[in-house]
Amino acid sequence: MTYDRLVCANCAAPVSEGRCPVCRANRQRLQQENPFAGLNPIALVALLAVLIAAVALLAHQTV
Ligand SMILES: [Zn+2]
């Protein structure tokens, strides 16, 4: 991760160590910019759409 090399402006320790609240806040913010973290809501919506389609298909087949 890119934040491994960041040094905190507050405590001058690596942000990845999370020694102070500023470090932890920065680390959390940077982790949220991870593409996998941003994918989760989209994946949930896609999963929901697939479930609705599957239910609709099953309902259509049984009737
Ligand atoms: Zn810090």
Side-chain angles (χ1 to χ4, degrees):
M1 300 297 286
T2 51
Y3 66 85
D4 284 343
R5 295 181 184 200
L6 283 178
V7 173
C8 178
N10 189 47
C11 67
V15 169
S16 59
E17 290 183 16
R19 288 187 186 182
C20 76
V22 175
C23 287
R24 286 191 286 271
N26 276 326
R27 192 172 55 172
Q28 204 164 34
R29 183 174 57 82
L30 288 162
Q31 281 176 340
Q32 282 171 356
E33 286 172 7
N34 186 319
F36 288 107
L39 191 71
N40 284 339
I42 298 162
L44 280 171
V45 169
L47 190 69
L48 195 68
V50 168
L51 278 170
I52 290 166
V55 168
L57 195 70
L58 282 170
H60 185 72
Q61 282 177 344
T62 50
V63 168

